[in-house]
Amino acid sequence: MFSKCSVVLLNVLFLVRALSAHECTPCNLRTCPVKAPHSCEGGRTLARDPCGCCDQCARLEWEPCGGQDWAHGYCALGLTCASVNKTGAAAIPETGVCKALPKHPEAGLEDERCPLMTGCQRAGGQCVCDARHSCLGSFAYPDQETCMKASKSEGRRHEHRERHREKYVGPSNPACMFSGCNLTTEGCVCESQSCRHHFAYINRSQCQEAAAGSCPLPVFKTLM
């Protein structure tokens, strides 16, 4: 009887110890390892650790991750903090490496270990808002009001571009920008917005001056 109780007690103590190993240190007792920058470089996005305490740039493939209180960081979208010595995800506080696992192609999009995040995206001209557990800031706008303001601002910019486009008068082909005149038997023939640079004079005035100072061109008639 005593031995059975001892086994049960040991199992309970082991379970409690295992669970406590996965608990996060309270944020007010932690010091974040790196001050989060305003923007991350090299294809990284800003990520908050699953403890909800520290912001760091997301880790890329084959970079270290996890550790006690996720001190080594959280993986970028599509990557899992995988175990180094075995298959599958690392068991925190184990330190792992970020890898793309075939069974988790959308890793990081939703993670129940992460804080609940809310935000909005624009889709088809509409603001679509959602809430999900994620450590990656995947929302373009923090709330619906900000999203609506951005939509209105973009609409005004679009209308402004359209108005200016209607006022513009010019050749349909930007390459057709040549203008000038040629002296023919019928006088000065001028063109504008031509696609070929084949003019002898830059304007009608120059062409007429040349016509006044030159001999008239002969006119050939066909005898019937």
Side-chain angles (χ1 to χ4, degrees):
M1 183 70 178
F2 176 78
S3 60
K4 289 184 178 180
C5 292
S6 299
V7 171
V8 172
L9 181 60
L10 288 174
N11 287 336
V12 171
L13 290 175
F14 178 81
L15 180 61
V16 170
R17 186 175 181 180
L19 291 174
S20 63
H22 294 281
E23 290 181 355
C24 293
T25 303
C27 294
N28 60 341
L29 300 179
R30 286 185 56 186
T31 301
C32 294
V34 180
K35 186 177 180 180
H38 293 292
S39 60
C40 298
E41 300 177 351
R44 304 171 190 266
T45 57
L46 197 63
R48 173 158 292 188
D49 63 50
C51 296
C53 298
C54 300
D55 290 334
Q56 297 187 56
C57 292
R59 301 294 186 255
L60 301 182
E61 193 167 19
W62 300 113
E63 290 184 342
C65 56
Q68 182 65 42
D69 294 329
W70 291 86
H72 296 295
Y74 191 82
C75 298
L77 186 64
L79 301 177
T80 299
C81 190
S83 177
V84 177
N85 300 321
K86 54 186 178 181
T87 59
I92 304 302
E94 177 188 357
T95 298
V97 291
C98 294
K99 292 171 60 177
L101 300 182
K103 292 184 179 180
H104 304 282
E106 296 183 350
L109 187 62
E110 288 195 48
D111 190 338
E112 291 299 326
R113 299 171 298 181
C114 296
L116 182 65
M117 300 184 67
T118 59
C120 302
Q121 301 279 24
R122 289 181 60 195
Q126 301 292 325
C127 289
V128 180
C129 301
D130 193 12
R132 58 174 173 260
H133 288 275
S134 177
C135 290
L136 301 173
S138 56
F139 293 107
Y141 307 98
D143 51 52
Q144 188 172 20
E145 183 181 359
T146 306
C147 182
M148 294 294 290
K149 287 181 179 179
S151 298
K152 291 179 180 178
S153 178
E154 179 61 30
R156 287 193 294 267
R157 285 196 295 269
H158 178 73
E159 291 176 2
H160 179 76
R161 288 194 298 266
E162 289 299 318
R163 284 198 300 268
H164 280 264
R165 186 178 301 171
E166 291 173 0
K167 291 179 181 179
Y168 175 74
V169 178
S172 57
N173 186 348
C176 301
M177 297 295 292
F178 301 109
S179 299
C181 301
N182 286 320
L183 183 60
T184 68
T185 56
E186 298 177 356
C188 290
V189 177
C190 301
E191 294 181 49
S192 63
Q193 299 174 2
S194 173
C195 294
R196 293 184 299 166
H197 187 272
H198 59 282
F199 300 108
Y201 307 99
I202 60 174
N203 53 42
R204 184 177 295 276
S205 177
Q206 189 182 76
C207 180
Q208 289 175 341
E209 289 179 3
S214 62
C215 296
L217 295 175
V219 177
F220 297 96
K221 295 183 179 180
T222 304
L223 298 176
M224 300 298 292

